[in-house]
Every structure is written in structure tokens, then in C-alpha cells.
């Protein structure tokens, strides 16, 4: 290893062209946002989890009891929190919330950033311009990347933060710069505040950094003179690991503490009636065997990254040939994410969804970058003692190598495989319905039904808005009726679970001037609905006099509930039992 000369390095930093690709980001952001508006508002293809976060933003900002805790603690907060500035505009422009636009802007920005990270990893490697351009364009145009850039889901920020951490750790393997470790630690913390999945790559990153630091520790002459022993080596390695771990640990501890302090439950995702465990139980967990579930996970990864085995083998072979340790980083980080998702599904703790395996796409791209030889020394301001500025001297550096060209061709083929697979209802449960909107002549009744998701909720919201009700007039639980709140021009008319007085109002609606109760069937997810838990017969009979049926709205969107029933509060009986 050779220590980089810092003055020369400083010059290299300032001379490096195009280090801040704002134009590319703006163009990608604009394209993804336009596609998202078309997908959500144009054809009505809105993801449920995405709109539920928008409803949380509405409750936090525009409800009758606005407060930050209304964002909820079942999911980590960043996906909804970054929508706050635009969500404030929903007071004057309700369509931003009704059509999921605030979420679209969020995901478009983060996915554009993820594309920039792929470009940055390629440039850090010193790849030629044509390789960088091809990789960037292929990643940006991958159909799964495009869909989740336009969907408003958490995949976009999660991929951005994991790619940011991956880039920083790849750089650190060559730079030994503590600033790269700090950047990776911050990226993992923000990834955790986006999705719980980040705990898996954070854990393996801490182990990786600690082991690598321990292996390559070299005491200075002064330290050797003072008799530096194994203790100093262990301390230095542990310190590097702690730099990566602490931001994520603090994010985990503070978010869990806040959840416990406000709700009494530190981990609502697992203990709350609104969490994944309860949803799986209410929906009826599948009867597939663990082997069948494992096979399904392999299938999902195969259609998103069919050439991954080839990329992994080539990257490892060239890494061994060049004594290049950087390949370890993407393999362990993305491998941890994919392994955790597979394990959770095999255990029956999550859902059979293609999006949970989307991390395999950036893994393939990063491995292809690492197949290319190093074309430039690492660029960093404060290299550590173990830094290296070595550049490959292999013959393929003079021109495009055959393995690299083959890998790029395989990326094109993989993109086509993914595109075809996304139209398969068994493989792509959430994604396939859009095919009926983009493929001429495709008339699939189930897909067209899915494209009407939330149409019934918008009709309910319009009906209630036309009544011009005063504040706190409609009682509902957002477990299934969140889209009604998000679609309304007057969110203050609703009494929702995040309101401080929700339980008191639920116990005696008439006394608190509630005029209507929106009810869902007491089956499936409706079992967790607070109205059903308080008044088990509300949907069927009006809870024996609590309400009188005014309106029934069938759900023509192909999802639960089958229909909503709106009851006018009579005040005749409040026990509801």
C-alpha cells in the first residue's frame, strides 16, 4: 500500500470535472416526476403503502389535531417526513394529497439521487466515459427503478441511502479516510429511518469495517517505539467500526424510545395491531412450505438480476487477480438485505412482493463497475495510513475488455427479462396491473380493476365534502379508510386515531358532536379497525342503535374492504355491544 500525497490529491479533487451532476439530477427528477403524475393521477395506479404515508402527512399537518406524532410509529418516519414541505400546500391544493403527488415528488428525487450514486461509483472507479454513460442510462431506465421512482414508495430513498453507504465504503477500502466512514454511518442511519431493512447491512458493515481495520492496521514509528501492542490494534479497529455504527444505533434507539414514550410500544411494526405481523395474521398467512417460499424468493431475484451469478464470479476473479478488496462491500451489504428479505419470507414474516428484492438491481450494476479495471487513484482529501492510489496496469485498461463488454450486454438482457416479468401476475403481484394501461389491446379485468384502486374512497370523500360538515363530524379508523382522509378537501372533518381525543370520541360519538361513522366489515384487516373493536356489530347493524345506515359504497378497486357503510349517529345507545 502507498500513502497518497495530500497536496497532489487536493489538486486532483479540484481538477476533477463534473463532480456535481446537477443537470443530470434535474432531468431525471423531472422525468420521474412526470411519469409519477401520469401513473398516479393519469391512470389511477396508486400503491397502497404510498398513499397511506400521504394520509399520515395529512393527519400530521391538516387534521383537527395536527402534531408530529401523527406521522405514526408502525413504520420509520423519513418517507413521510420529507413530504412535509409539499404537504403543507395541500391546504390550498388538495389534489397534491388526493393523487399521491407529494409522495411521487419524494420518490422521484431520491431515485434520481440513486442514479447519481451509480454514476459516482463508476467515476470513483475511473471507468471510461462510455462505460459510465451506459451504466447510468441502463440503471435509470430499468423498469423497476422507473416504477419505484414514480410510485412514491420507500424503495427509492432506501436504495439511495444504501448506494450512498456502499459508495463511501468502497472509497474507504482505498482511501482509509475516516470521512468516508462518517458518510457511510450517516447513510445507514437515514436508511434505517426509511426502512427497518437497513439494520441488516448496517450490522455487516460494522463487522466488515472492524475486520478490515484490524487486518491492515500498521502502527506508526512513534507507536512502535512506545511498544504498541495488540490492544492498540483492537482499539483502532473498534473505533472505525463505532464510527459506522453510532449514527444508525442512535437512530434506532431514539426512534424506538420516541415510539415507547408516546404509544407505550417500542416496536409497533411487530407489536401493534397495525403492524406487519397483525396484517399477515388478519389476511391469513399463506400455506406454502418454507421450501416453496425459498423457491419464490429465488425466482424474484432471478427475474430482477438474472445475470448476477456471472457478475459475481467475474468480479471476484478480477478482484483476486488485482488484489482488489472493494468487491467485498457490495456483496456483503446487498447480500445482507437480500438474505434478510428471503429469511423473513421463508419464516412467514413478510409478503411475497417483487419490490422487496429490488436491491439486487444496484448490486448487479456495482459489480459490473468493479469488473472494470481501476482507471484512476482514489480521490479523497484526508487519506489514512492504509490508503492506496494504485491503478490497474492490466492490458484491458487500454481499451474495453471482453468481460466488461459482455457484462454490459448482460445488463441489457437483464433489463428486458425484468420488463417481461413485471407483467406476470404471480411474480409481480403489485406491478403487473399497469400493463393494461401501457400495452395496447391488453384487456385484463383484474388489472383494470386494480387501476381503479381508491376510486371508491374518492367518491366517499367527495360525498362528505359536499355536506360541508363542521370539524370532527366523521369518525373513522385509517387502517382501511386512509385514502378517504387523503382524498378529502376538508381533513379537519374527520376524527382519526392520531387525534388525542380519539378514544373519548369513539366511546361516545354523540356527546362529542360526531354526525357520521364510516364503517368497514369486521373481517380481515377490518378486525383491527378501532370502530369494529369498540362496536363489533357496527357494520352489520349500526351497533344496535348507535348509528342509522345512510350510504353504502361498494369497492370497485379490487381490494378490501368489499364496501364501506356510512352511518349517521343517532345517540340512542352508546355501548354498542
Amino acid at each position: 500500500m502507498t500513502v497518497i500525497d495530500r497536496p497532489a490529491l487536493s489538486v486532483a479533487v479540484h481538477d476533477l470535472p463534473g463532480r456535481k451532476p446537477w443537470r443530470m439530477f434535474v432531468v431525471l427528477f423531472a422525468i420521474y416526476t412526470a411519469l409519477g403524475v401520469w401513473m398516479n393521477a393519469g391512470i389511477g395506479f396508486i400503491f397502497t403503502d404510498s398513499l397511506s404515508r400521504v394520509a399520515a402527512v395529512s393527519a400530521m399537518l391538516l387534521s383537527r389535531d395536527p402534531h408530529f406524532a401523527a406521522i405514526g410509529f408502525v413504520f420509520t418516519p423519513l418517507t413521510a417526513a420529507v413530504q412535509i414541505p409539499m404537504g403543507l400546500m395541500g391546504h390550498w391544493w388538495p389534489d397534491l394529497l388526493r393523487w399521491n403527488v407529494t409522495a411521487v415528488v419524494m420518490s422521484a428525487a431520491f431515485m434520481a439521487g440513486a442514479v447519481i450514486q451509480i454514476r459516482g461509483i463508476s467515476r470513483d472507479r475511473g471507468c471510461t466515459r462510455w462505460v459510465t454513460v451506459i451504466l447510468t442510462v441502463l440503471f435509470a431506465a430499468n423498469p423497476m427503478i422507473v416504477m419505484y421512482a414514480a410510485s412514491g414508495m420507500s424503495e427509492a430513498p432506501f436504495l439511495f441511502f444504501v448506494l450512498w453507504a456502499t459508495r463511501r465504503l468502497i472509497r474507504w477500502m482505498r482511501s482509509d479516510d475516516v470521512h468516508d466512514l462518517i458518510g457511510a454511518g450517516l447513510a445507514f442511519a437515514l436508511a434505517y429511518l426509511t426502512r427497518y431493512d437497513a439494520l441488516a447491512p448496517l450490522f455487516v458493515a460494522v463487522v466488515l469495517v472492524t475486520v478490515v481495520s484490524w487486518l491492515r492496521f500498521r502502527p506508526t514509528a512513534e507507536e512502535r517505539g512506545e511498544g504498541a501492542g495488540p490492544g492498540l490494534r483492537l482499539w483502532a479497529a473498534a473505533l472505525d467500526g463505532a464510527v459506522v455504527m453510532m449514527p444508525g444505533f442512535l437512530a434506532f434507539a431514539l426512534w424506538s424510545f420516541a415510539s415507547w414514550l408516546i404509544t407505550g410500544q417500542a416496536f409497533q411494526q411487530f407489536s401493534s395491531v397495525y403492524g406487519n405481523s397483525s396484517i399477515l395474521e388478519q389476511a391469513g398467512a399463506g400455506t406454502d412450505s418454507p421450501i416453496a417460499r425459498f423457491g419464490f424468493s429465488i425466482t424474484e431475484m432471478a427475474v430482477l438480476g438474472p445475470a448476477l451469478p456471472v457478475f459475481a464470479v467475474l468480479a471476484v476473479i478480477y478482484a483476486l487477480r488485482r488484489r482488489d478488496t472493494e468487491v467485498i462491500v457490495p456483496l456483503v451489504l446487498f447480500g445482507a438485505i437480500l438474505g434478510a428479505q428471503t429469511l423473513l419470507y421463508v419464516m412467514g414474516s413478510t409478503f411475497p412482493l417483487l419490490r422487496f428484492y429490488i436491491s439486487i438491481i444496484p448490486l448487479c450494476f456495482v459489480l459490473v463497475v468493479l469488473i472494470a479495471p481501476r482507471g484512476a487513484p482514489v480521490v479523497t482529501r484526508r487519506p489514512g495510513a492504509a490508503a492506496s492510489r494504485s491503478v490497474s496496469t492490466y492490458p484491458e485498461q487500454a481499451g474495453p475488455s471482453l468481460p466488461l463488454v459482455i457484462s454490459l450486454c448482460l445488463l441489457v438482457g437483464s433489463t428486458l427479462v425484468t420488463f417481461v416479468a413485471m407483467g406476470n401476475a404471480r411474480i409481480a403481484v403489485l406491478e403487473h396491473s399497469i400493463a393494461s394501461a401501457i400495452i395496447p389491446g391488453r384487456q385484463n379485468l383484474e388489472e383494470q380493476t386494480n387501476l381503479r384502486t381508491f376510486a371508491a374512497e374518492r367518491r366517499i370523500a367527495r360525498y362528505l365534502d359536499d355536506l360541508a360538515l363542521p370539524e370532527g363530524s366523521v369518525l373513522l379508523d385509517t387502517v382501511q379508510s386512509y385514502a378517504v382522509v387523503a382524498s378529502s378537501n376538508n381533513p379537519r372533518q374527520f376524527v382519526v386515531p392520531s387525534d388525542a381525543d380519539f378514544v373519548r370520541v369513539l366511546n361516545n360519538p354523540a356527546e362529542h358532536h360526531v354526525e357520521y361513522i364510516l364503517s368497514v366489515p369486521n373481517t380481515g384487516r377490518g378486525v383491527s379497525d378501532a370502530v369494529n373493536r369498540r362496536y363489533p356489530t357496527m357494520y352489520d347493524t349500526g351497533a344496535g342503535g348507535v348509528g342509522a345506515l345512510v350510504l353504502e359504497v361498494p369497492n370497485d378497486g379490487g381490494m378490501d374492504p368489499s364496501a364501506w357503510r356510512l352511518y349517521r349517529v343517532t345517540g340512542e345507545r352508546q355501548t354498542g355491544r
Side-chain angles (χ1 to χ4, degrees):
M1 293 295 187
T2 305
V3 178
I4 304 174
D5 180 70
R6 291 190 182 182
L9 193 57
S10 178
V11 173
V13 170
H14 293 294
D15 289 346
L16 191 63
R19 294 182 65 246
K20 297 181 180 179
W22 295 113
R23 292 181 182 177
M24 179 183 295
F25 174 84
V26 170
V27 170
L28 288 170
F29 172 66
I31 293 173
Y32 288 153
T33 300
L35 289 172
V37 171
W38 168 78
M39 188 173 83
N40 288 262
I43 62 174
F45 188 61
I46 303 175
F47 281 75
T48 56
D49 282 0
S50 179
L51 193 62
S52 70
R53 306 301 196 280
V54 173
V57 173
S58 176
M60 181 171 46
L61 301 174
L62 307 175
S63 69
R64 54 190 286 272
D65 182 22
H67 56 286
F68 188 79
I71 200 170
F73 292 92
V74 173
F75 302 101
T76 44
L78 190 140
T79 306
V82 297
Q83 299 180 44
I84 291 175
M86 197 171 184
L88 289 168
M89 299 171 62
H91 179 75
W92 301 279
W93 194 2
D95 281 347
L96 292 175
L97 303 175
R98 178 179 297 118
W99 295 105
N100 207 39
V101 176
T102 60
V104 166
V105 171
M106 176 277 300
S107 62
F110 277 113
M111 197 64 88
V115 176
I116 299 302
Q117 291 298 330
I118 289 291
R119 173 186 180 274
I121 293 171
S122 180
R123 289 176 62 83
D124 289 344
R125 182 74 174 179
C127 294
T128 58
R129 183 179 296 274
W130 70 269
V131 171
T132 300
V133 169
I134 291 175
L135 287 171
T136 303
V137 170
L138 284 177
F139 184 78
N142 184 283
M144 279 290 285
I145 297 300
V146 172
M147 172 164 282
Y148 284 94
S151 68
M153 297 284 280
S154 62
E155 273 67 26
F158 183 69
L159 288 185
F160 169 75
F161 290 126
V162 174
L163 277 169
W164 179 18
T166 301
R167 182 183 180 187
R168 282 295 181 174
L169 288 180
I170 288 175
R171 288 171 53 84
W172 175 79
M173 296 293 283
R174 296 171 65 189
S175 71
D176 194 28
D177 187 347
V178 70
H179 295 86
D180 287 324
L181 293 183
I182 294 172
L186 291 174
F188 282 125
L190 293 170
Y192 174 76
L193 293 176
T194 302
R195 284 176 56 155
Y196 293 107
D197 309 38
L199 288 176
L202 171 59
F203 174 77
V204 299
V206 172
V207 173
L208 173 65
V209 168
T210 303
V211 171
V212 171
S213 294
W214 188 84
L215 289 175
R216 70 185 186 185
F217 175 77
R218 297 292 183 272
T220 63
E222 181 179 349
E223 289 169 340
R224 286 195 298 269
E226 294 175 356
L232 181 61
R233 185 180 195 177
L234 183 60
W235 172 256
L239 193 60
D240 281 348
V243 169
V244 176
M245 179 186 71
M246 286 308 298
F249 173 78
L250 288 174
F252 169 83
L254 291 175
W255 180 247
S256 301
F257 176 73
S259 177
W260 172 80
L261 191 65
I262 294 173
T263 70
Q265 298 174 322
F267 307 104
Q268 284 215 333
Q269 175 65 266
F270 310 102
S271 57
S272 168
V273 294
Y274 302 116
N276 270 359
S277 300
S278 294
I279 294 173
L280 284 164
E281 182 179 350
Q282 294 152 12
T287 58
D288 292 343
S289 67
I291 295 177
R293 294 183 182 216
F294 179 75
F296 178 84
S297 296
I298 296 299
T299 300
E300 301 291 84
M301 288 186 278
V303 300
L304 293 178
L308 175 64
V310 177
F311 298 148
V313 169
L314 286 176
V316 170
I317 289 174
Y318 277 94
L320 293 173
R321 179 184 175 189
R322 301 162 181 161
R323 298 182 180 180
D324 186 352
T325 57
E326 296 170 29
V327 71
I328 299 173
V329 175
L331 288 175
V332 300
L333 294 190
F334 289 105
I337 297 170
L338 296 168
Q341 286 291 357
T342 300
L343 179 62
L344 287 172
Y345 181 58
V346 168
M347 294 170 58
S349 299
T350 189
F351 305 94
L353 302 178
L354 183 64
R355 68 184 180 91
F356 288 157
Y357 305 91
I358 194 173
S359 297
I360 202 169
I361 296 173
L363 170 59
C364 290
F365 278 82
V366 175
L367 288 177
V368 171
V369 170
L370 297 180
I371 290 172
R374 292 179 183 171
V378 64
V379 177
T380 187
R381 293 186 182 277
R382 294 187 179 181
S388 168
R389 66 174 185 180
S390 61
V391 180
S392 294
T393 56
Y394 298 106
E396 70 264 21
Q397 187 178 344
S401 65
L402 181 60
L404 181 57
V405 172
I406 292 174
S407 298
L408 293 173
C409 293
L410 288 175
L411 281 178
V412 175
S414 297
T415 301
L416 297 176
V417 170
T418 300
F419 180 78
V420 172
M422 287 175 65
N424 185 296
R426 188 185 69 84
I427 294 174
V429 176
L430 297 179
E431 298 83 4
H432 75 279
S433 295
I434 200 173
S436 283
I438 63 176
I439 298 178
R442 178 157 171 158
Q443 300 296 322
N444 184 293
L445 181 60
E446 182 259 343
E447 292 176 354
Q448 291 174 346
T449 299
N450 288 341
L451 292 178
R452 292 194 298 269
T453 300
F454 303 124
E457 289 92 324
R458 288 191 290 272
R459 291 197 300 273
I460 296 171
R462 190 181 310 117
Y463 174 85
L464 293 172
D465 289 345
D466 289 343
L467 297 178
L469 298 169
E471 180 178 311
S473 295
V474 183
L475 176 68
L476 57 81
D477 190 346
T478 52
V479 66
Q480 287 186 293
S481 302
Y482 55 87
V484 176
V485 178
S487 300
S488 174
N489 292 336
N490 179 25
R492 298 180 68 87
Q493 69 184 310
F494 301 107
V495 180
V496 294
S498 60
D499 293 343
D501 61 350
F502 177 76
V503 175
R504 293 194 300 273
V505 176
L506 179 65
N507 285 331
N508 200 328
E511 182 179 288
H512 290 85
H513 311 293
V514 171
E515 297 185 37
Y516 296 94
I517 297 176
L518 187 62
S519 178
V520 298
N522 197 3
T523 57
R525 289 205 66 191
V527 172
S528 64
D529 186 281
V531 173
N532 285 333
R533 283 184 284 144
R534 177 63 180 87
Y535 307 107
T537 61
M538 173 60 73
Y539 185 82
D540 294 325
T541 67
V546 172
L549 184 64
V550 173
L551 181 70
E552 180 171 279
V553 181
N555 187 353
D556 55 359
M559 296 179 59
D560 288 334
S562 57
W564 283 266
R565 287 179 179 173
L566 185 68
Y567 284 88
R568 185 173 184 87
V569 175
T570 63
E572 293 180 8
R573 181 184 178 191
Q574 294 303 324
T575 61
R577 301 287 182 182

